[in-house]
């Protein structure tokens, strides 16, 4: 194991985080909040001190980034950066608990969207902006790492982005790697800017458009108000949010290829077509359940079904609470179960979305269909393909291993949450949504934690053990198990 490239990347990541802190700092100063701005200044100085120290200490070392180093760097970055990102929350007393501050930061950086803040309306705009910026940075980071590790995860596909990042990571960190990351950042930033403008023109305030664009493209789900559902009352805003949720859940290699001249990249990708099919079928299923079990009008039922389905499949976690004709909040239990299934499925590989991912499920379905055919024709050979590529045995084993780990982790997390005092429905909902990095979607699914006279999930009311457990759950779900579990293999450290 070469530690120099790991700490070099960690140092640069901390430097980037320190630079991001200057944005809400400037915003706080513009709002006349000198004390809050000072919290961001102190946080940025501390972050830059540790990050710059790592880079300077490793400047004379070789920076060869292999698979082991990439696994270690990814895991370390997703553990360490939230600790520094939590400093503004803690120092400004926006979140006075260290545990809660770290939970909020890692929830943002993993694009999970769960929040311990019960009253968003009393928070300063600088803090709300910082939460959204953390999600935006986390979304970009996961795209880079998953693209670089695509071959390590044995995922089918061969695209310019994966080749550029993966090949560069096996040699001394070079201009090619920097160019690939910078080019990806330009695309990510351009899509974010388009989303901001579109939301603004659709009726959102400039500040909300900025925050929601950061949260939407990263499929994070942080909102800026307790009554976030009312912010989606405009049909134009709903359409823009749905479009960019889907864009965030699409493999960014396709965006890379599109902006680099391949205008047919989306239509040639099987996973992109699967994503659209799941959204259509899921919307129809939820629409049917809502039509038979609620008294909402057909247009409203269709709106709510499509928006919440898109939010679930992309693991963004935005909620448009269903309101019955009597004015009460009501979700049919069948629709909630469908939403949980869609969250578990998730979006595309190489995207900011969580879940099992459509590519893996497609491989597993092809393998299952092949085994069923083999029962009728034992001597036949059924070649498995994904797109125009043959699916190898290693890719099948990788998909099955991930699926088993995912299901096993769901069971373990559910049991641990139940042992910590939550009822079964709450435990299952929290385990499913947080492992898929859609923690904000848990709100309409939970009735166990009661705040005031309304039933909704309050992460701040959970015991500290449950919060730390969910932090680990977010981490392993975001890094897709293998990057974290490989570090527990002693052979990895001996090589």
């Amino acid at each position: 194991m070469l530690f120099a490239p790991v700490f070099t990347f960690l140092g640069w990541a901390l430097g980037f985080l320190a630079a991001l802190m200057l944005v809400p700092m400037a915003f706080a100063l513009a709002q006349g909040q000198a004390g809050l701005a000072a919290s961001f200044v102190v946080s940025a100085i501390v972050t830059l001190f540790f990050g710059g120290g790592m880079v300077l200490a490793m400047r004379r070392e070789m920076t060869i980034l292999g698979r082991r180093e990439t696994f270690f760097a990814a895991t370390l970055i997703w553990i360490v950066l939230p600790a520094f990102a939590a400093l503004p929350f803690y120092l400004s007393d926006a979140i006075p608990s260290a545990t809660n501050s770290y939970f909020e930061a890692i929830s943002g950086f993993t694009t999970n969207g769960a929040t311990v803040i019960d009253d968003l309306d009393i928070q300063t705009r600088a803090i709300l902006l910082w939460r959204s910026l953390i999600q935006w940075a986390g979304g970009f980071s996961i795209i880079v790492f998953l693209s670089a590790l695509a071959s390590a995860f044995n995922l089918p596909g061969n695209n310019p982005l994966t080749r550029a990042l993966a090949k560069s990571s096996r040699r001394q960190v070079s201009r090619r790697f920097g160019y690939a990351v910078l080019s990806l950042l330009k695309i990510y930033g351009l899509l974010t800017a388009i989303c901001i403008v579109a939301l603004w023109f659709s009726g959102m305030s400039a500040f909300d458009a900025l925050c929601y664009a950061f949260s939407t493209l990263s499929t994070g789900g942080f909102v800026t108000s307790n009554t976030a559902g009312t912010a989606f009352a405009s049909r134009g805003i709903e359409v823009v949010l749905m479009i960019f949720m889907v864009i965030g859940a699409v493999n960014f290699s396709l965006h890379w290829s599109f902006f680099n001249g391949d205008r047919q990249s989306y239509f040639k990708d099987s996973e992109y077509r699967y994503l659209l099919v799941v959204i259509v079928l899921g919307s129809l299923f939820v629409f049917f359940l809502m039509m038979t079990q609620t008294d909402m009008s057909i247009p409203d039922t269709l709106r709510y079904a499509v928006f919440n389905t898109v939010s679930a499949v992309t693991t963004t976690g935005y909620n448009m609470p269903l309101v019955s004709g009597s004015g009460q909040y009501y979700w049919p239990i069948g629709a909630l179960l469908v939403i949980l299934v869609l969250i578990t499925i998730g979006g595309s590989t190489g995207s900011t979305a969580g879940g099992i991912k459509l590519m893996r499920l497609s491989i597993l379905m092809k393998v299952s269909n092949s085994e069923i055919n083999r029962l009728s024709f034992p001597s036949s050979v059924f070649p498995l393909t994904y797109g125009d590529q043959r699916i190898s045995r290693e890719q099948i084993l990788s998909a099955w291993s991930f699926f088993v780990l995912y299901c096993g982790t769901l069971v373990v997390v559910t049991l641990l949450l139940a042992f910590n005092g939550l009822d079964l429905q709450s435990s299952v909902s929290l385990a499913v949504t947080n492992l898929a990095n859609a923690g904000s979607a848990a709100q309409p699914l939970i009735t166990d934690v009661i705040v005031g006279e309304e039933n909704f999930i309050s992460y701040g009311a959970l015991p500290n053990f449950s919060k730390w457990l969910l932090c680990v759950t977010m981490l392993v779900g975001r890094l897709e198990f293998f990057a974290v579990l490989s570090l527990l293999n002693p052979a990895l450290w001996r090589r």
Side-chain angles (χ1 to χ4, degrees), residues 155-158 265-274 358-359 362-363 366 383-392 395:
L155 296 175
N158 187 25
S265 59
Y266 300 107
F267 304 101
K268 294 186 295 186
D269 185 72
S270 301
E271 196 174 23
Y272 175 74
R273 296 194 294 270
Y274 296 154
L358 290 162
M359 179 182 290
S362 173
I363 292 174
K366 290 176 182 291
L384 300 178
T385 59
Y386 182 86
D388 57 353
Q389 293 187 2
R390 182 78 174 264
I391 301 175
S392 67
Q395 290 167 344

Side-chain angles (χ1 to χ4, degrees), residues 70-136:
T70 307
F71 281 155
F72 188 35
T75 305
L76 201 59
I77 284 174
W78 259 266
I79 293 174
V80 173
L81 257 66
F84 288 90
L87 288 176
F89 297 134
Y90 185 72
L91 295 178
S92 66
D93 283 333
I95 306 177
S97 165
T99 295
N100 286 351
S101 295
Y102 186 81
F103 183 95
E104 191 79 9
I106 195 172
S107 175
F109 199 63
T110 57
T111 70
N112 183 60
T115 180
V116 294
I117 301 176
D118 292 329
D119 193 354
L120 291 169
D121 292 328
I122 65 174
Q123 293 295 326
T124 62
R125 288 194 163 190
I127 290 295
L128 296 176
L129 178 60
W130 179 234
R131 294 165 74 244
S132 300
L133 270 172
I134 295 173
Q135 284 197 328
W136 185 82

